[in-house]
Structures are given as structure tokens and as C-alpha cells.
Amino acid sequence: MNGYFHSVALREDKCRGCTSCISTCPTEAIRVRKGKARIILERCIDCGECIRVCPSQAKIADTDPLKAIRDFDYRVAVPAPSLYGQFKVSFSPDHILTALKKLGFDDVFEVALAADYVARELREYAVSSEHLKPLISSSCPAVVRLIQVRFPSLLNHVAKIKSPMETAGRIVRNLIHRDKRNLGIFFITPCPAKRTSIKASLSVEESALSGAIALRDIYVPLRNAMTGLQRPERLAFASGAGIGWAGSDGEAFSAGIAGTLTVDGIHRVIGVLECLENGSLKEVNFIEAMACPGGCVGGPLNAENPSLARSRIRNRAETPGGGNAGAPRFSLDSGFFAWEKTLLSRPVMPLSDNVSNALERLQEADSITAKLPGLDCGSCGSPSCRTLAEDIVRGTAEDTDCIFVLRERIRRLTMEMVELEEKLPPSIAPRS
Amino acid sequence: MNLHYDVPGDDYALAGAASAEVKKNLKLLGIPPELIRKAIIAMYEAEINMIIHAGGGKADVTITPESVRIAMKDEGPGIADIDLAMREGYSTASDEARGMGFGSGMGFSNMKRNSDSLSVISLPGEGTLVEIRIDLKEGSP
């Protein structure tokens, strides 16, 4: 696919141009222009931070509505493990999945079960000396995209194993329901980046999934379907460890790799990736990095409070279950999990594609920065004074976008006018 | 362009601040990622050494389209036997500290591996000057 597809979008009518989103964006991908937030598409990694912080709910995730499933003859829901964190533990996974089916699906398949299979593959992948350590988990698509944009030197650390979501989609499409025609497979998503992974995957040529429905969009109907439910079907087969992938540490625990480091929250992830780039994480074998605080339960498209959801996930993960007892059995070899595509960098941060030119611009940006107030107030529409300086040398902003610079210019002009006003041409007689 | 940093010698929480700034600049310049990584691993190692062994110092970085030159100068105790210090596995850390994971003796050899030229000048009691060069163009001197 050409260009950049994104799931994070702006509702212009709701945006008040308040600049809350611009400073939290990890790739400095938002500017306020003409009173509205603009997303720089080349830089956006779909992490959803802006959705989380927007006080006007102007940042939205462009996911599929539930009615999109009607375009398909046979419909399968593949819910993210974080779905189980949205409801009290007194509701069993079977209960939740049966209710989900009632919303119009013919079948359901848990991403948590696919996570059990991915965990096994990951354990073997991590043992192989062919793969550069520490490995970085690829299950959070926002983190993989962050690496493409800001940490291209770390691309070869990324574990090139399909995500539990894509794995679930492939199992449904290629194994369980291969006989179905016009098969629609929908991911029930806590996060916008996952939808981007379906529409513009980094790992596969074409995703097995048909679309993604925001968890919070189906929360109310799902809750209603659950309350009236008497006898749930036997649909849940994931182990506690598989369900645990919804929270941070879950993947690392489930894969059982020695020497893991878990980090959640995109800005803390950046801190860890900086350390890795400096060469200071030699004692670490595996990095589980999740863009959202607390892991996927902290995704902006969840309905429930992230901390409560995480506690429920913990509870469910620790409840001794039957492992995968009774789960459909497949033989999935390494080829099934391997990425089909090469992971490339997205070099959008450099000031120019020519080093000499970039050097000139960088020096200019430094001298502009020195003249700016350094308050990072955001009134210019750029995330910081430094970014404004970079925008100026890139030609996308002017120094008078800074209200302090503008005020100084007006002051100087005023003084000049006062000075001129005092001058009197010889032909005019001074007023008495 | 020339960049100058004072590396404080008493706060490990600030360790790596100078290399972090340099890294930011190199990324803005569009230097190939693998060369940035080399430069930063080498500089970070030198910066940490300077904090732990020499009470801080000064870092001067010169970036041209041809190369990145990093000069790290301290007024610490100096290095008595540079050849020995350069050897992989050499460390001043006690056996006990090494058992706990300190002083793997990779410092200078790590810098050497990640640079195109490394020079270390040291006078015991006066200080140390570490100069690291990363070539940005193939075949440049």
C-alpha cells in the first residue's frame, strides 16, 4: 500500500486547538495549524497517546462499526485478551465469548489462545543464536512503528514473529474455517495501532483479518447480552498465561524467557530503547515493550479503567485453569509464524536527506532556538521551542509563529514608529 | 558543527546526557543508523568511564559530512598502562565486584570496536584524553 494508512484521526468540529496533544506525541507528529490539530502522516505511529489526552474527544480511532460484519456471510470475532479485563471475574471467559457471539458472530476465536501458541514459538526463537539479543517483542505495533521512525538502528532486534492477533486470524481463515465463503474475521481491539496492522501490516502482505471493531464500541451491547445469558457455550480455551498477555509482563511470563525486561507506556519505552542504543542493556535477553500504560488493558479503546482491568487480568491469569485442555489442535511450524515482509526504517526525522544540507539547517535551528523563550508553551502549534526551530528550517513554520518573538517585533516596530513620529519635515511648523 | 558538553562527575543519574544530545543531533542529520549506533556506543562508554573513574570532564564533538570526532577530556587519575587497559577483559574492578557484573573489562575494547580510530593519551595524575573518530564516508581518512 502506498503512502501511510492511519487509524488515528481528527474530528475537526471537536478540536479546539488547545495543544494538549502536541507535546505528548512521541514522534512529534502533531502541529496545530489554523486552530486545529494536524497529524503529520509520515510520522504518526498510531499509538493513540493523543486520543488518551485530548480533553475534547477530538482525536478518534477510525475503527469499523459493528454493522460492518453484515458485509460477510460467515462472521468470526477474534477478541483481544484485554476483553476479559473489562468484566468482573465472576463472568467466565465462556460467558463473555458466548455473549460476544450473540452480537452477530457465527464463531469466536480467542487471541489469548493464539498467544499461547505464539509464546511457544517465541521461546524457541529466543533460544536461537541467529537472532540478535536482546530481542524486542513485536506484539505492540505502536512500538514497532516507533522503532521504524525513531530507532532505526534497532530494527534488527525486533522479533519477526506474527502477533497473536494475526496468528488467530490465520488459524481461523486457513485452518478452522477454510471452507467458508465470504468469511469476515473481526478483531475486537483495545488499540488503534492494531487496526493499522490489519490495513497496512508490517509483517504480512495481507492480513487474515477483515477489520477491527473498537472494544469500547461494543462494550454496552456486550454487557447487555451478558446479563440475560443463562447457559454459556464452551468457547474459551486459552490458558491463564495467554489471557495474561493483556497486561504488561504477561508476554514475558508466558514465553518464559530468562532475562526479560518489561516496559510499558510509550515514553518509558523510549527511555529503554535509548539505553539499548547506547549499548547498556547487555544483561537483557528479551524486551517486552508496550506503548500503553499497563499493557493492552491501557489501550485507548478499552471501556474499563486500565488499573482495574489489569487487576482482573492478573486474577484470571493466576486462576488455575485447564491450560489449553479441549482446545482445537493444530500443528503450527515456524514458517507459520515467520514474517513475510522485511522491516524497514521510516526516515522522517532528519532535517534533510543530504548530510551537508542537514548540517546547515541544524546550525540554523540551533541559533533560532537560542532566540526562542524556551518555555515550550505550544502556542506556536509546535510541541516545543526546539521543534519550532526545526519546523522553521524545514520551511513549515515562521519565527513569528512564536507569540514572544511576535510581541518583540511589534515592540520594536512601535518604538520605531514613535521615533519617526517625533521627526518633523522642515516645511511643517512645530505645533505649539 | 561543534558541540561542547560539561560532563558532571558526581551524579550517575545524569550519565549519558551528553551522548544523548549528540545522538539527537546525529539523527536530525540523517546519518545512517548503524553509524550513529557505533558513535553513540563508543561515546557513551567514554562518558560513563569519565564519570566513574575521573570525576567528570569535558566532551567536544565535531560533526562534518565526512566524520564524527569525539574528544573526551578529564583531569582524573589517568591510566598507567594504556596498552593493558585496551586489552579485552582488563579491568581495575576487584574480583568480587566483577563477580557481581561490574568491570567486565570491555570499556576500551568496546570503544575500539565501535570506532574507526581511537586514541587515548593519558598522564597519570593529570588526566586522560580519549579521541574517537567515526567515518561517515567510505574510504575517508
Side-chain angles (χ1 to χ4, degrees), chain A residues 150-154 157 274 276-280 282 349-351 355-356 358-359 362-363 366 386 390 394, chain B residues 1-3 16 19-20 23 25 27-31 33-34 36-37 40-41 44-45 63-65 110 136:
Chain A
R150 282 191 56 172
F151 299 93
S153 77
L154 303 180
H157 286 267
E274 295 282 3
L276 177 54
E277 246 183 354
N278 296 345
S280 59
K282 291 188 190 82
M349 300 313 250
L351 293 171
V355 177
S356 307
L359 260 171
L362 183 57
Q363 273 162 317
D366 281 347
R386 175 68 207 185
E390 288 168 18
R394 286 180 209 269
Chain B
M1 75 185 300
N2 299 306
L3 304 164
S19 21
K23 180 158 75 176
N25 282 311
K27 286 186 179 183
L28 281 169
L29 292 173
I31 307 291
E34 59 279 13
I36 297 182
R37 185 122 198 246
I40 292 312
I41 288 177
Y44 182 79
E45 190 79 56
I63 308 168
T64 66
N110 197 23
L136 302 180

Side-chain angles (χ1 to χ4, degrees), chain B residues 14 55 98 132:
Chain B
L14 298 177
R98 299 181 76 167
I132 299 159

Side-chain angles (χ1 to χ4, degrees), chain B residues 19-75:
Chain B
S19 21
E21 280 301 313
V22 172
K23 180 158 75 176
K24 231 183 263 173
N25 282 311
L26 294 176
K27 286 186 179 183
L28 281 169
L29 292 173
I31 307 291
E34 59 279 13
L35 298 182
I36 297 182
R37 185 122 198 246
K38 274 174 69 174
I40 292 312
I41 288 177
M43 179 172 176
Y44 182 79
E45 190 79 56
E47 195 179 345
I48 296 293
N49 275 349
M50 191 182 247
I51 289 168
I52 292 178
H53 300 294
K58 292 176 191 316
D60 281 283
V61 180
T62 307
I63 308 168
T64 66
E66 286 74 38
S67 68
V68 179
R69 289 164 195 267
I70 302 158
M72 311 285 287
K73 193 172 186 307
D74 67 59
E75 291 171 7

Side-chain angles (χ1 to χ4, degrees), chain A residues 125-145:
Chain A
Y125 190 96
V127 171
S128 162
S129 57
E130 274 173 44
H131 304 120
L132 190 63
K133 304 288 161 27
L135 285 174
I136 304 171
S137 162
S138 60
S139 43
C140 176
V143 168
V144 178
R145 286 169 202 271

